[in-house]
Structure formats: C-alpha cells, structure tokens
C-alpha cells in the first residue's frame, strides 16, 4: 500500500499538479485569516467580517456553475496557470489597499471569483496525469492536502502576522501562487478525458 503512494509521487506530472494544489490551498487559508483579522481591526465590527465572508460566497454563487463549464471546454492546464498568476496579481493589491474596507471587499471578491475557475480544473485533471489504478491514491493526496492546508494555514497565519505583519503574509501568498502557476505551466495539455473508455 505504501509503495503505491510512492509510485504516484514518482509521476512528475502529477507531482507538479500536487505542488500547485499545496501552494494554492495554503494561500487560501493564510489569506483568509489575514483578511478577516485585518477587517476586524479596521472596523471593530463582526458584521463587517461577515461581509467579507459574503464576498467569498457571492463569487461562488455568480461564477461556480460557469467555471465548471469552462473547465470542461478548455485546456485545464492554461486555466490553472492563468488563474494562479492572476490571483498572485490580485493578492498584491492587498499590500497597498488593505487599510480600505471597501477595497478589501472588492479584492476578496475578485480573488474568490478567480478561485471558482481553479477548483473545477484542479482535481478533475488527475485522470490525465495518472493511470486508472492510481487515481484513488492520487485523490487521497488531494484530500489530505486540503485538510492539512486548513490546519497549517490558520496555525501559521497568526504567528507570522504577529511577528512580521500582514504584508509578509501577502508576500508569502504571492510567492506561493507564482510557484503554483509555474508548476502548472509545465504540465502537458489537460483536456477533458473520459476515464470510462
């Protein structure tokens, strides 16, 4: 069983996709913590914090279904790559505007909207990169990463913010997203594949 996990990791194409997932997921949770704390500091209002959460949710409502269609119609390699780089650019705006509550809401909405295009292109690309008998193991890597990133992201965000400030978190997130974009840039084409043939 353990051998099968190592076999999947030997597949460099899958490893690139997994690296992209690790960086993207970790960014999501680091950023979420930093933004929610910053909004509370700016407004001293739990209602304002809830508006940030609504901004995340509205992006899903507006773009969730549409993003799935694009994921099935276009090469997922380029969707993943473009989204990663655009998210890095979006996060950079926090460095200059996170003192402005309205700007934070808008930037958060844009970031989350882009994420709607990333998510349906990520895990569904696994069948393009691994053999059918490795799909279960590959999926377990992705499930583990999602849970681990949640714990690690929230656990690290507080100490980093206290020690060096929010700008360091934003800079780390930009770096992670650039790594994620470079990882998917070097993937082969990831067009829709029927694994039941």
């Amino acid at each position: 069983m353990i051998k099968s996990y190592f076999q999947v990791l030997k597949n460099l194409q899958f490893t690139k996709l997994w690296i992209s997932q690790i960086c993207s997921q970790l960014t999501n949770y680091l950023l979420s913590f930093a933004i929610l704390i910053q909004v509370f500091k700016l407004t001293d209002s739990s209602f304002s914090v809830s508006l940030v959460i609504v901004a995340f949710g509205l992006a899903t409502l507006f773009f969730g279904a549409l993003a799935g269609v694009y994921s099935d119609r276009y090469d997922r390699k380029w969707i993943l790559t473009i989204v990663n780089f655009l998210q890095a650019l979006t996060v950079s705006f926090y460095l200059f505007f996170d003192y402005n509550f309205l700007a934070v809401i808008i930037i958060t909405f844009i970031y989350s909207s882009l994420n709607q295009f990333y998510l349906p292109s990520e895990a569904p690309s696994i069948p393009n990169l691994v053999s059918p008998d490795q799909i279960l193991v590959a999926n377990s890597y992705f499930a583990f990463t999602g849970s681990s990133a949640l714990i690690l992201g929230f656990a690290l965000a507080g100490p980093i913010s206290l020690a060096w400030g929010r700008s360091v978190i934003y800079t780390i997130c930009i770096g992670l997203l650039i790594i994620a974009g470079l990882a998917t840039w070097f993937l082969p084409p990831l067009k829709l594949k029927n694994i039941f043939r």
Side-chain angles (χ1 to χ4, degrees):
M1 186 65 178
I2 295 176
K3 184 179 178 181
S4 63
Y5 280 86
F6 283 112
Q7 284 296 117
V8 171
L9 282 185
K10 286 180 181 179
N11 181 336
L12 292 181
Q13 302 301 347
F14 169 78
T15 302
K16 292 173 194 173
L17 183 66
W18 189 43
I19 288 170
S20 178
Q21 189 221 9
I22 292 169
C23 294
S24 177
Q25 291 278 345
L26 193 54
T27 295
N28 287 342
Y29 297 118
L30 283 169
L31 198 59
S32 296
F33 183 94
I35 294 306
L36 292 175
I37 294 302
Q38 174 61 2
V39 166
F40 189 76
K41 285 182 178 178
L42 282 174
T43 64
D44 197 27
S45 166
S46 56
F47 177 72
S48 297
V49 172
S50 71
L51 290 179
V52 177
I53 297 171
V54 168
F56 278 108
L58 284 177
T60 304
L61 181 65
F62 290 152
F63 297 107
L66 178 66
V69 173
Y70 275 87
S71 172
D72 288 340
R73 293 188 64 179
Y74 299 101
D75 189 342
R76 291 170 177 154
K77 165 187 174 173
W78 293 114
I79 295 175
L80 293 168
T81 302
I82 291 168
V83 166
N84 279 319
F85 288 137
L86 286 177
Q87 283 185 315
L89 178 63
T90 303
V91 173
S92 70
F93 286 108
Y94 284 120
L95 288 167
F96 306 100
F97 299 107
D98 83 336
Y99 58 86
N100 184 304
F101 173 65
L102 180 59
V104 168
I105 293 291
I106 293 170
I107 296 168
T108 300
F109 177 77
I110 294 170
Y111 177 87
S112 185
S113 297
L114 289 168
N115 213 43
Q116 301 314 305
F117 290 86
Y118 183 90
L119 294 173
S121 300
E122 183 189 51
S125 297
I126 291 175
N128 293 77
L129 302 175
V130 302
S131 59
D133 62 307
Q134 293 180 325
I135 289 177
L136 184 62
V137 173
N139 282 333
S140 71
Y141 271 111
F142 270 58
F144 173 77
T145 301
S147 302
S148 300
L150 171 63
I151 297 168
L152 192 60
F154 282 116
L156 291 176
I160 292 172
S161 183
L162 284 172
W164 298 290
R166 297 180 314 280
S167 61
V168 172
I169 291 182
Y170 302 145
T171 304
I172 290 171
C173 289
I174 292 167
L176 287 171
L177 289 167
I178 290 172
I179 292 170
L182 291 173
T184 54
W185 183 298
F186 293 103
L187 286 172
L190 297 173
K191 295 183 179 179
L192 184 65
K193 181 178 180 181
N194 186 353
I195 64 173
F196 299 106
R197 286 179 180 174

